[in-house]
Amino acid sequence: MSPSPLAIQYRAVLRKEVRQTLRDRRVIFMLVAAPLIQLVVFGFAANFDVDDLPTAVADLDRSSGSREHLRRLLADGTLRAAVAARSAEEADQFLDDDRAALALVVPPGFGADLQAGRLARVQVLVNGADPVRATAAASAATRFFAEAAQEGAAARLRAAGLRAPSVVLAPRVLYNPRLRTSLYIVPGIMAMLLVVVTTIVTAMGLAREREQGTLEQVLVTPIRPVVLLAGKMTPFVVIGLFDVLLALTAMTWIFGVPVRGPLTVLALGSLLYLCSTLGMGLFISTVSSTQQQSFLGGVLFIIPASLLSGIMTPIRAMPPWLRAATWANPLRFYGELMRGVLLRGSGLAELWVQLAVLLLFGAGILGLATARFRKTLG
C-alpha cells in the first residue's frame, strides 16, 4: 500500500526541517544545552532557604540568664551573632548599615525578672528591607521566646506542686519534610524555561523564513498549510520532550528531586504543554512581520505567563480578578502537573483537570494559529 500524498508531503517537510535545525548549531544550543545550563544555574540561585542570618546582639543585662537564652537562641543556626552592640542605638545603627538582619536587645534586669517569675522583655529589631530574611528572622526569635516562656511557666507550676497542662504539637510535613526550596522551585523553573525556548524559537523561525522569502517558495508547491505547520512543529516537539527527559535527569541527580508519580502522566502533560507553547509561538509569528516583532511578542507573552503561573508566588495571594486570569495560562497547569507527579506522586485521577485544561488550550491555540496562518497567506 503506497503512502498517501499528505504523508509524502509531511515527510518531505519534516526531513527539510530536521536538516535545517541540525545544520544551525546556535538553534541546537538554544534548544538543548541552554535550558539545561539555565536549569542548573537558576536551581542553585533561586534559593529561599534562609539560614545563618547576621544578628546584632546587645546584651545589656550580662547575667547568666541572658547569656543562656542568647546561646540557645543562636544554637540552631538560623541566627548568627555577627556583631556585639553596647546599646540599643548602636544595634539599630548596625541595621541601618546593613551589617545585620536582626538586632536582639536584652534590657538590664532580664535575668532578675526571670528568677522572680516576672514578665521579662526582650526587644527584637528586624530589618524589613528584605521581607524574606525579615520574616525568617522574626519567626525564629518569636518561636524561641514563646517556647522559653512555656518552659518557664511549666517550671513554676511544677515548683508550686501543680501539674502543668500537657499539650504537645507534633507537626508532620509531607512530600518535602526538610522544606528544601529546590524540590519546589526546580520543577517550576523547568516549565518556565520550556515555554521560553519553544515559544520564541517557533515564533522567530517562521518570521525569519518569511523575511528571507523561503516560506513563499515552499507555499507555491502543492503542500497544504496544515501539513507544512505539522512538519515544522514535529522536530521541536521531539526536542522539547528530550529537554524534559534531560531536565528530569538533572533534577533527580543534581537537586535530588524525587519521582513519585507515573512518568506516563508527565509525558502526556509535557506533550500537551508543548502543543500549547508551540502553538502560541506560531500564533505570534502570524501577527508579526519581522523577527524583532516575533521576539518582542514572545517576551510579552512569557513574562505575564511566568508571573501568573504560581511558580514563584502563590496564586492564592493574588487578587480574585487576577486569579481568574491564571486559568488561561498553560504554564500554571503544567507547573502544577509536574509538582504533582514528582513530589506528591499524583496520577491521572488527581491531575485530570490539569491535563484537560492543557488539552483545551493546546487545541484552541493551535486551531487559532492555523486559521490565522491560512488567512495571512491568502
Side-chain angles (χ1 to χ4, degrees), residues 167-189:
V167 178
V168 179
L169 177 64
R172 181 187 177 190
V173 180
L174 302 178
Y175 313 124
N176 188 5
R178 297 175 58 187
L179 299 178
R180 293 172 52 198
T181 301
S182 59
L183 298 189
Y184 178 80
I185 204 69
V186 170
I189 291 176

Side-chain angles (χ1 to χ4, degrees), residues 40 42 61 72 84 89 97 102 110-111 124 139 167 175 189 205 227 231 233 276 290 306 314 335 340:
V40 174
F42 293 161
D61 184 51
R72 292 174 56 190
E89 292 75 15
D97 298 340
L102 180 81
F110 175 83
V124 180
S139 175
V167 178
Y175 313 124
I189 291 176
V227 177
M233 290 181 58
S276 302
T290 63
S306 301

Side-chain angles (χ1 to χ4, degrees), residues 9 133 141 160 205 223 298 314 321 334 359:
Q9 295 174 5
R133 293 203 312 173
I223 298 177
W321 63 272
Y334 185 63
L359 175 61

Side-chain angles (χ1 to χ4, degrees), residues 73 79 102 104 124 126 135-149:
L73 173 60
L79 306 180
L102 180 81
L104 297 173
V124 180
V126 182
T135 302
S139 175
T142 302
R143 183 175 62 252
F144 169 78
F145 285 111
E147 294 175 354

Side-chain angles (χ1 to χ4, degrees), residues 10-320:
Y10 172 75
R11 285 203 298 265
V13 175
L14 179 60
R15 190 181 306 113
K16 176 254 183 188
E17 288 299 319
V18 171
R19 290 177 179 176
Q20 181 176 340
T21 302
L22 295 179
R23 193 181 302 120
D24 194 339
R25 296 182 179 179
R26 293 173 299 179
V27 174
I28 291 297
F29 177 82
M30 184 175 179
L31 289 173
V32 179
L36 180 61
I37 295 173
Q38 293 173 358
L39 176 68
V40 174
V41 173
F42 293 161
F44 284 109
N47 189 351
F48 299 134
D49 297 335
V50 180
D51 205 4
D52 198 35
L53 294 175
T55 304
V57 179
D59 185 4
L60 307 182
D61 184 51
R62 296 183 176 85
S63 64
S64 59
S66 65
R67 289 192 295 269
E68 176 64 18
H69 275 72
L70 290 174
R71 183 191 64 81
R72 292 174 56 190
L73 173 60
L74 301 172
D76 70 344
T78 303
L79 306 180
R80 170 179 55 86
V83 288
R86 291 168 294 185
S87 63
E89 292 75 15
E90 187 177 10
D92 185 59
Q93 185 62 42
F94 288 141
L95 293 180
D96 293 339
D97 298 340
D98 203 26
R99 296 174 59 185
L102 180 81
L104 297 173
V105 180
V106 183
F110 175 83
D113 291 337
L114 286 179
Q115 290 292 334
R118 296 188 298 266
L119 180 64
R121 298 182 181 274
V122 176
Q123 186 178 26
V124 180
L125 305 175
V126 182
N127 185 353
D130 187 341
V132 176
R133 293 203 312 173
T135 302
S139 175
T142 302
R143 183 175 62 252
F144 169 78
F145 285 111
E147 294 175 354
Q150 291 178 355
E151 293 175 1
R156 288 192 296 271
L157 289 175
R158 288 193 297 269
L162 301 176
R163 183 177 180 181
S166 57
V167 178
V168 179
L169 177 64
R172 181 187 177 190
V173 180
L174 302 178
Y175 313 124
N176 188 5
R178 297 175 58 187
L179 299 178
R180 293 172 52 198
T181 301
S182 59
L183 298 189
Y184 178 80
I185 204 69
V186 170
I189 291 176
M190 178 55 207
M192 293 175 57
L193 294 178
L194 204 58
V195 70
V196 170
V197 172
T198 55
T199 300
I200 291 183
V201 168
T202 306
M204 293 185 64
L206 286 173
R208 181 178 63 251
E209 291 197 31
R210 184 180 290 109
E211 284 183 342
Q212 295 174 349
T214 57
L215 186 60
E216 285 74 10
Q217 295 176 5
V218 174
L219 291 173
V220 298
T221 65
I223 298 177
R224 297 183 180 180
V226 175
V227 177
L228 176 62
L229 294 179
K232 284 183 170 295
M233 290 181 58
T234 301
F236 297 111
V237 171
V238 175
I239 293 175
L241 292 176
F242 177 75
D243 283 342
V244 172
L245 180 61
L246 197 63
L248 189 62
T249 304
M251 284 189 290
T252 56
W253 180 49
I254 299 176
F255 298 101
V257 177
V259 182
R260 300 190 175 109
L263 292 179
T264 52
V265 175
L266 181 59
L268 177 59
S270 300
L271 179 61
L272 297 176
Y273 180 63
L274 287 171
C275 291
S276 302
T277 57
L278 292 173
M280 180 57 67
L282 176 61
F283 176 77
I284 292 172
S285 69
T286 61
V287 297
S288 305
S289 302
T290 63
Q291 295 185 64
Q292 290 80 2
Q293 292 179 1
S294 298
F295 179 80
L296 181 59
V299 171
L300 292 178
F301 165 73
I302 291 168
I303 293 179
S306 301
L307 294 176
L308 298 178
S309 64
I311 291 175
M312 295 297 181
T313 56
I315 294 178
R316 294 184 180 89
M318 301 177 186

